[in-house]
Amino acid sequence: VEVLHRGQWGTVCDDFWHMADAAVVCRELDCGEPVDALTDAHFGEGSGPVWVSYVMCTGSESTLKNC
């Protein structure tokens, strides 16, 4: 997952990434329910700084920044 923060793109670390985290991102993007929570840079590593590490959502948050 990549995010724009203060005008610069960066990444969200996928360590400990779970379905609850994916659910929050999918909700924020209004793209339905997640079907999987892939890790290990499945689609390739992002670029820029890591803006968020160790995301620990419960799944009920409205945005990733609330996790």
Side-chain angles (χ1 to χ4, degrees), residues 44-64:
E45 291 187 15
S47 60
V50 176
W51 288 126
V52 182
S53 293
Y54 304 110
V55 176
M56 294 189 186
C57 299
T58 64
S60 63
E61 297 87 353
S62 59
T63 65
L64 192 61

Side-chain angles (χ1 to χ4, degrees), residues 2-66:
E2 294 193 26
V3 295
L4 183 64
H5 176 67
R6 296 185 180 184
Q8 184 177 6
W9 285 98
T11 62
V12 174
C13 182
D14 67 359
D15 291 346
F16 306 106
W17 187 258
H18 297 97
M19 287 295 285
D21 309 313
V24 173
V25 170
C26 289
R27 182 178 306 111
E28 191 168 5
L29 296 174
D30 195 26
C31 62
E33 293 296 319
V35 294
D36 205 346
L38 302 172
T39 60
D40 300 321
H42 184 80
F43 295 103
E45 291 187 15
S47 60
V50 176
W51 288 126
V52 182
S53 293
Y54 304 110
V55 176
M56 294 189 186
C57 299
T58 64
S60 63
E61 297 87 353
S62 59
T63 65
L64 192 61
K65 67 181 179 182
N66 293 332

